[in-house]
Amino acid sequence: MTLVGPADLLRDARRQRRGIGAFNVIQLEHAEAYVRAAERTGLPVVLQVSENTVRYHGSLEPIGSACVALARQAQASVVVHLDHAEDRALVTRAVDCGFTSVMFDASRLAYEDNLSRTRDVVTGCHDAGVAVEAELGEVGGKDGAHAPGIRTDPGEAVAFVQATGVDSLAVAVGTSHAMADRSAVVDLGLVARLADAVPVPLVLHGSSGVDDESLAAVVRAGMTKVNIATRLNQVMTAEVRKRLSCNEGISDPRKYLGPARDAVTDEVGRLQRLLWREGEN
């Protein structure tokens, strides 16, 4: 149990109708919390570093290398994944940094352009032994899109996977990124049709907007990798606010970031068990 690629983990989880949690890293405390949760539960976890987080830190290598180092010493199976990369050069840097998985996101492009550029990324990453996730259909969030017109078409998804060779596919089924409440309505029928048709594991983005009952249902319907970020940021921020409000004299960040990290660890463990247990038939 250490830094691993996602292929076997996702394939086995897909076969068993279980879900694997994928959680976004913004700072080191996030990554530490996710690894600690995985070690407690004994379940695999995906640490995700997004292109937006790379911009925040100014470069990939410091936060990316920290995630890789944590994964290598972990007593759990940990995937380190580049999330929502639109920059091809960033994909190359992630591979060089030791990431075992990348998501190349060309979903805003026309279908043929998305296919062509994704296929090129897959070729290069597979040569390096790195798995590739892509997106077909547009998961809302930056524009708040929930309209049926952007949902992923099962036939198109099958053709896309076959033409590109991607290892997993993020699909648009009703969720939206950065939702602050849990009111998203997932099209479970579409999830089931996609799961039956598409030969690789499906990925749900924007899962913070989905309540627990629906998360369990979406895994049963065939979703395998479940990305959660905003909900964990809410947990972390709430704990920081609580600690600072209780003691206005606190100046040592460890006094509030430590408890915040612990709160995230607890929530990630709960989510891991929910996704894994509730995926059972």
Side-chain angles (χ1 to χ4, degrees), residues 23-25 47-54 57 60 63-64 67 80-84 99:
F23 309 109
N24 280 54
V25 173
L47 310 187
Q48 303 195 141
V49 179
S50 72
E51 187 167 295
N52 284 337
T53 291
V54 172
H57 286 286
L60 171 68
I63 190 69
C67 289
V80 180
H81 174 79
L82 178 66
D83 191 38
H84 279 291
F99 282 45

Side-chain angles (χ1 to χ4, degrees), residues 11-275:
R11 181 175 59 249
D12 291 346
R14 179 176 185 256
R15 186 181 67 251
Q16 299 174 59
R17 290 295 172 104
R18 298 180 188 266
I20 293 178
F23 309 109
N24 280 54
V25 173
I26 296 177
Q27 54 195 27
L28 183 59
E29 284 78 8
H30 285 99
E32 291 171 338
Y34 306 157
V35 170
R36 289 179 183 184
E39 291 176 334
R40 288 181 186 176
T41 62
L43 297 174
V45 70
V46 182
L47 310 187
Q48 303 195 141
V49 179
S50 72
E51 187 167 295
N52 284 337
T53 291
V54 172
R55 292 194 190 101
Y56 170 76
H57 286 286
S59 66
L60 171 68
E61 286 73 14
I63 190 69
S65 296
C67 289
V68 170
L70 282 169
R72 285 178 173 156
Q73 67 183 21
Q75 299 302 307
S77 296
V78 182
V79 175
V80 180
H81 174 79
L82 178 66
D83 191 38
H84 279 291
E86 299 179 12
D87 182 355
R88 180 67 177 83
L90 182 59
V91 170
T92 300
R93 285 164 54 200
V95 172
D96 292 342
C97 193
F99 282 45
T100 55
S101 178
V102 303
M103 183 211 179
F104 182 65
D105 185 2
S107 62
R108 297 191 189 191
L109 303 179
Y111 175 81
E112 291 298 334
D113 290 335
N114 184 0
L115 189 154
S116 176
R117 294 180 66 175
T118 301
R119 183 169 52 202
D120 288 344
V121 169
V122 169
T123 298
C125 286
H126 281 183
D127 286 345
V130 173
V132 179
E133 174 187 324
E135 183 175 311
L136 190 63
E138 186 180 345
V139 180
K142 298 178 177 63
D143 56 6
H146 287 278
I150 65 169
R151 303 292 168 85
T152 303
D153 175 79
E156 195 171 66
V158 171
F160 184 86
V161 169
Q162 291 174 340
T164 59
V166 294
D167 302 283
S168 58
L169 187 68
V171 290
V173 293
T175 56
S176 187
H177 292 106
M179 287 186 67
D181 60 37
R182 304 175 72 183
S183 61
V185 178
V186 180
D187 187 337
L188 294 175
L190 177 55
V191 174
R193 292 194 298 276
L194 286 163
D196 287 342
V198 177
V200 298
L202 300 179
V203 182
L204 185 66
H205 286 232
S207 306
S208 291
V210 183
D211 63 31
D212 285 355
E213 182 178 354
S214 297
L215 281 178
V218 79
V219 171
R220 288 195 299 268
M223 199 65 67
T224 303
K225 177 173 174 274
V226 179
N227 291 14
I228 299 174
T230 299
R231 190 185 315 179
L232 301 176
N233 290 336
Q234 291 171 325
V235 168
M236 176 173 275
T237 301
E239 188 63 28
V240 169
R241 286 195 177 111
K242 174 183 173 183
R243 297 290 167 165
L244 293 177
S245 65
C246 289
N247 185 351
E248 294 183 359
I250 289 178
S251 59
D252 184 344
R254 290 169 294 188
K255 299 296 185 181
Y256 52 85
L257 289 179
R261 179 182 57 195
D262 293 342
V264 172
T265 299
D266 291 342
E267 177 65 2
V268 167
R270 188 189 72 81
L271 289 167
Q272 285 187 296
R273 288 187 288 267
L274 171 73
L275 297 170

